[in-house]
Amino acid sequence: MRKIPTNSPAPPRKTELPLDLSGPHVTPRASSPHRLYQALCHAIVSGIVKPGEPLPPSRTLASQTGFRRNAVTTAYERLISDGFAVAVVGSGTFVAARIPAQVSGAGKARIVIETPPQGTLSLGCTHIDERALQRFRSFVGRRMRAFGTDHLHYGDPRGSRELRTAIADHLLSARGLRCDPDQIMLASGTQHALRIVLSAILRPADQVWCEDPGYPAARRAIEHCGYRPAPVPVDASGLIVAKGRTSAPSARAAYVTPSHQFPLGVQMSMSRRLELLDWARDADAFVLEDDYDSEFRYDGAPLLSLAGIDHLQRVIYMGTFSKTLFPGLRIGYCALPERLIGPVTTARAALDRFPGTLLEGAVADMLNSGAFAANLRRVRGLYREARDVLASTLTTASEGRLSVPVPSQGLHLVARFEPSVDPMVASQAKTAAGVEGWLLAETYHRAQPLPGFVLGFAGHPLPQLKASAEKLAKASLAALRGARKADAHGTRAGKSRKPASARSRAAR
């Protein structure tokens, strides 16, 4: 990525950017930040603005387009997150030197796919205990030595009954969810399960409630499949059901993370859970419960799942081994209401026939032997220590300017500035520190984004975790000082200007 030298004059900033906000590349009913993001992407990919060129200041673009400034800020932050732009502290936002999609000489888009970075503070990293890894190796070896004919033909679209039975037993003991193995379907992860289930229960263009802020990958998957994400605000008790009833009364499904809301980490209250289930019954809708990290609770026993309360009537429960073992395994699952077994199985068979069979037996052995539970106990202690190191380092090194609530569950935490801070401060700090993780603003769809970071602490060595936290905290302090100086300069410049009438009198 090209860096703009900070000791030389920056290229002249554009005062106006030709944007097509009504073309086919823009989703008409999308939020303002999303439409602006699509228009900016189109301008970058089509060559209207070249790699390395500066983008207009957020105030300038807001004035040009008529969008609010926070919509421009959110669009810019998403451009930075997706690799289309780079923020340079003190200079502004620039088109990246190498963008994900470039126009070739033939006029067709050439897609450049890069491996996502997995640096310190990134989300989605895990650790597997060496003893558990040895057990897994032995289980895989044993299954390979006993290679049978079940691998030589197409299998059950839901996956092997052996692993589905082991998962059903695990859900009963760990999450209080009673279900038959026939109700379990294996997938490559929760995103895969989400796509399969939605194709079975929804019609094209149906609305789906999504938490705002929420998990961007799920929202993008819903949109990509031809459904309409309907953002519903979240408060300290979880998704605000009353807001969903008002803003999207015809929605046919809701995607939620009730046990550990992503990204804010709040737990959906019991009254709010019952309210959500009441809505599902009233609307003849389904609730998709993404229980992505419930196994990693550090204070007390895991909360009862939403599906456990509902007894799998209206709730579809989704889980994954990507967090509890490792992402490269690519095995997740969902637990279905009985009436959905047929439609979802048919949808699965139509999409990709059936899941891979080679590692299913080894994962079942891990669950049945106790090796899976033992690994959870050991890595839970490691993650708790990592969580505490990250939270304390950020708080101390930022001199208290970052608020870092210590989560009682999960594999990430949120570090926030005061709400009055411009979200671009967080973007500048993250770029300057050179760390991974997400900007908190990236998880918002329509609600006013809060300034801050979503940072992973699982799977990272403690020394690197501490060093990266110190870098981010110091960069945050520097970005805050820069923002204060810019504001003070703007205030002084504004006071020094004489009214037009005074200037005209002086001229006369």
Side-chain angles (χ1 to χ4, degrees):
M1 185 176 291
R2 187 171 78 90
K3 293 185 178 180
I4 307 300
T6 56
N7 58 352
S8 62
R13 304 197 65 75
K14 292 181 179 293
T15 57
E16 186 166 328
L17 185 64
L19 290 178
D20 182 1
L21 291 164
S22 59
H25 54 276
V26 176
T27 305
R29 297 183 181 180
S31 65
S32 297
H34 187 64
R35 284 184 283 131
L36 184 56
Y37 166 81
Q38 290 176 319
L40 286 165
C41 282
H42 178 73
I44 292 170
V45 171
S46 61
I48 295 174
V49 283
K50 307 295 184 184
E53 284 190 355
L55 294 171
S58 57
R59 290 184 187 277
T60 302
L61 191 58
S63 176
Q64 174 195 334
T65 60
F67 289 121
R68 293 180 182 272
R69 189 185 175 202
N70 67 336
V72 178
T73 299
T74 301
Y76 274 3
E77 289 177 344
R78 185 170 173 190
L79 285 176
I80 294 166
S81 171
D82 290 350
F84 288 98
V86 57
V88 180
V89 177
S91 299
T93 305
F94 297 80
V95 178
R98 185 184 183 194
I99 58 176
Q102 296 175 330
V103 179
S104 66
K108 294 183 179 180
R110 176 174 61 87
I111 305 299
V112 179
I113 300 177
E114 300 180 353
T115 302
Q118 292 296 319
T120 312
L121 303 182
S122 61
L123 283 72
C125 296
T126 63
H127 172 84
I128 183 169
D129 182 76
E130 182 60 31
R131 284 166 287 186
L133 185 56
Q134 290 176 358
R135 296 291 301 278
F136 186 71
R137 286 194 186 107
S138 68
F139 291 142
V140 172
R142 189 177 71 182
R143 293 284 176 161
M144 285 300 296
R145 288 189 295 273
F147 190 94
T149 58
D150 52 328
H151 301 300
L152 302 179
H153 57 77
Y154 293 114
D156 190 320
R158 293 168 297 176
S160 75
R161 185 169 183 84
E162 181 183 16
L163 180 52
R164 290 189 284 116
T165 299
I167 291 172
D169 292 341
H170 168 70
L171 291 178
L172 179 59
S173 62
R175 304 299 288 123
L177 175 57
R178 186 182 299 277
C179 63
D180 189 272
D182 286 342
Q183 294 175 264
I184 303 291
M185 182 190 71
L186 303 182
S188 64
T190 52
Q191 291 296 102
H192 186 210
L194 177 65
R195 294 169 68 96
I196 294 171
V197 170
L198 289 179
S199 70
I201 65 175
L202 297 184
R203 298 183 298 269
D206 274 349
Q207 284 187 306
V208 181
W209 287 2
C210 294
E211 297 163 326
D212 190 12
Y215 187 39
R219 186 171 63 231
R220 288 194 294 267
I222 292 167
E223 194 170 36
H224 183 75
C225 291
Y227 312 115
R228 292 183 294 150
V232 180
V234 173
D235 62 13
S237 297
L239 180 131
I240 306 175
V241 178
K243 295 282 188 181
R245 283 182 179 269
T246 301
S247 62
S250 61
R252 299 295 311 281
Y255 169 84
V256 293
T257 53
S259 294
H260 186 233
Q261 199 275 332
F262 187 92
L264 300 181
V266 300
Q267 299 164 2
M268 185 179 287
S269 67
M270 182 57 71
S271 61
R272 197 66 64 78
R273 291 175 184 230
L274 296 176
E275 192 178 353
L276 180 60
L277 295 177
D278 286 342
W279 164 78
R281 284 190 291 270
D282 294 343
D284 192 22
F286 289 97
V287 177
L288 296 111
E289 177 182 15
D290 188 347
D291 204 31
Y292 63 101
D293 64 4
S294 63
E295 289 91 350
F296 297 102
R297 185 165 176 82
Y298 308 109
D299 303 312
L303 300 176
L304 183 65
S305 67
L306 189 63
I309 299 171
D310 176 63
H311 304 295
L312 283 178
Q313 297 299 309
R314 288 282 173 185
V315 177
I316 298 150
Y317 179 95
M318 298 184 295
T320 178
F321 292 105
S322 293
K323 309 289 192 299
T324 51
L325 289 174
F326 50 91
L329 190 61
R330 303 312 301 140
I331 295 181
Y333 56 89
C334 63
L336 304 164
E338 287 187 7
R339 60 179 143 163
L340 292 184
I341 294 174
V344 172
T345 301
T346 300
R348 173 59 187 271
L351 288 172
D352 66 349
R353 300 298 293 267
F354 70 106
T357 60
L358 198 57
L359 295 179
E360 289 179 344
V363 176
D365 290 339
M366 289 289 287
L367 288 164
N368 293 330
S369 67
F372 178 80
N375 178 66
L376 282 181
R377 288 194 297 270
R378 289 191 284 264
V379 299
R380 194 180 289 126
L382 294 176
Y383 294 166
R384 182 189 291 110
E385 183 180 6
R387 174 202 65 176
D388 295 343
V389 166
L390 179 57
S392 61
T393 303
L394 287 171
T395 302
T396 303
S398 71
E399 300 174 6
R401 298 306 301 272
L402 284 173
S403 173
V404 191
V406 180
S408 61
Q409 179 174 313
L411 308 177
H412 76 272
L413 56 74
V414 172
R416 288 181 289 191
F417 294 101
E418 289 291 327
S420 59
V421 172
D422 191 321
M424 281 303 293
V425 169
S427 176
Q428 293 168 354
K430 182 173 176 289
T431 301
V435 298
E436 302 304 332
W438 293 1
L439 296 172
L440 182 56
E442 293 171 4
T443 67
Y444 283 81
H445 186 62
R446 187 174 295 167
Q448 174 71 33
L450 292 173
F453 314 97
V454 184
L455 306 172
F457 53 78
H460 302 298
L462 291 182
Q464 293 181 17
L465 199 66
K466 185 177 178 65
S468 295
E470 289 174 344
K471 284 183 182 179
L472 182 60
K474 291 176 181 177
S476 296
L477 289 175
L480 284 169
R481 287 193 293 269
R484 286 199 298 269
K485 287 181 182 178
D487 288 344
H489 177 74
T491 302
R492 287 195 298 271
K495 288 182 179 179
S496 66
R497 296 191 186 99
K498 293 180 180 181
S501 57
R503 290 199 300 271
S504 62
R505 286 195 301 270
R508 289 195 297 270

